[in-house]
Amino acid sequence: GVNAGLNFNSGVPTNKNGSTLISNEGCATISDRNGNLLFYSDGNTIWNRNHDVLLNGDNLLGHHSSTQAALIIPKPGSRTLYYVLTVDKPNYYLTEDDPISGLNYSLVDMTLDGGLGGVITNQKNQHLLTYNPNNFLEKEFKCSEKITAVLHADGISYWAITHFIDRFYAFKIDANGIQPNPTISTTGQTINPAFDDDGINKTAIGYLKASPNGEKLAIAHSSTTAGSPRTGTKKSGKVFLYNFNATTGAVTSAQNLISSEYPYGVEFSPK
């Protein structure tokens, strides 16, 4: 939204003024264990709790018009380190100096800048492979606009999960960092890149969310074909429900819940 913020500490959402965030779609925030804001991001920029740009927190490789632009995950075993994972908006009309960036991560250290935090220079915009680099189409688009996280079955580590074409990629995050070799699950449902006259990959749009117990994933593909996604024969969006194994990171058992619509957001009830 436009400079919007919500505070849930009282048990009901209340307006929180002062936000610097202006985002068409994705955003992410993180607070400490007492509910005090630490920082937030639109995928391009990270702002600290004073609503100033975090030290070295600009020029991230996400995009404010990516569905789920950014995801923040505490580094297991640390109280001061946080991973910010970003997903770019896969737009086909590019310049040579602005390729689609796909999935990347940066590491925030809250001990920097007098406790306001900062991105560690040599841990900024680190690329994660979510495509076949030998396939031209996959290498061009790299990823969808979807990312979510699930607590690992060990109760300490996490899975960061994204999707591209017919595969889920689950990256384990533990005390050693983000493991670069993900668990890859092939779904049997192929959602190829399909771009409109503006060069936007319509099939990349839509949420990926996990159930509170980490056993299910829901994914919205706003479109599965090119053309106008909201009307007529091109209204081709789908929603699928999957099982997730929090021990192995495997995604299985697709169930098609919705077809021929324009789904965008998905969410699970608390129970």
Side-chain angles (χ1 to χ4, degrees):
V2 180
N3 305 123
L6 291 173
N7 188 319
F8 294 89
N9 285 330
S10 67
V12 295
T14 58
N15 183 55
K16 184 174 179 63
N17 295 320
S19 170
T20 313
L21 182 90
I22 299 177
S23 177
N24 292 344
E25 297 185 72
C27 66
T29 70
I30 191 75
S31 300
D32 66 17
R33 62 183 58 201
N34 297 315
N36 300 306
L37 177 66
L38 294 177
F39 59 89
Y40 55 99
S41 178
D42 65 352
N44 294 126
T45 304
I46 305 173
W47 292 273
N48 63 30
R49 64 177 177 268
N50 292 334
H51 311 293
D52 298 319
V53 176
L54 193 83
L55 179 69
N56 196 28
D58 57 353
N59 298 317
L60 270 63
L61 297 179
H63 197 283
H64 62 84
S65 190
S66 176
T67 304
Q68 291 180 275
L71 176 71
I72 303 168
I73 299 178
K75 184 177 181 181
S78 173
R79 293 190 177 185
T80 60
L81 298 175
Y82 296 85
Y83 287 106
V84 180
L85 294 96
T86 60
V87 281
D88 198 7
K89 174 186 177 183
N91 191 316
Y92 192 72
Y93 293 145
L94 306 167
T95 60
E96 289 185 1
D97 61 347
D98 186 27
I100 297 169
S101 299
L103 176 63
N104 296 273
Y105 72 86
S106 300
L107 186 60
V108 171
D109 184 348
M110 290 305 300
T111 67
L112 298 177
D113 197 20
L116 291 173
V119 174
I120 300 173
T121 301
N122 64 357
Q123 290 289 300
K124 184 176 181 178
N125 291 327
Q126 301 296 295
H127 192 56
L128 293 170
L129 202 63
T130 54
Y131 54 92
N132 178 0
N134 297 316
N135 180 298
F136 174 79
L137 186 68
E138 291 194 22
K139 186 178 179 180
E140 189 79 8
F141 284 96
K142 294 185 177 66
C143 192
S144 67
E145 299 180 10
K146 313 170 194 299
I147 189 168
T148 194
V150 172
L151 185 66
H152 193 282
D154 64 15
I156 300 172
S157 309
Y158 295 91
W159 295 103
I161 309 160
T162 189
H163 177 274
F164 187 48
I165 301 182
D166 64 343
R167 280 151 283 161
F168 283 94
Y169 295 82
F171 293 87
K172 186 180 179 183
I173 303 176
D174 59 22
N176 295 314
I178 299 181
Q179 306 306 309
N181 298 315
T183 298
I184 302 175
S185 303
T186 302
T187 65
Q189 307 294 325
T190 300
I191 313 293
N192 285 313
F195 43 93
D196 63 10
D197 292 340
D198 295 322
I200 298 171
N201 177 17
K202 293 295 186 183
T203 69
I205 300 169
Y207 271 72
L208 170 64
K209 297 302 287 287
S211 62
N213 63 10
E215 295 178 358
K216 299 285 185 179
L217 296 177
I219 191 168
H221 303 288
S222 292
S223 299
T224 60
T225 62
S228 175
R230 293 180 171 86
T231 60
T233 58
K234 299 300 184 181
K235 193 175 181 181
S236 60
K238 296 182 179 182
V239 172
F240 289 95
L241 181 69
Y242 294 91
N243 293 335
F244 183 74
N245 187 318
T247 300
T248 65
V251 181
T252 57
S253 303
Q255 299 179 54
N256 187 189
L257 302 183
I258 295 174
S259 295
S260 302
E261 295 291 345
Y262 182 73
Y264 182 81
V266 292
E267 190 54 273
F268 290 87
S269 63
K271 297 182 179 179

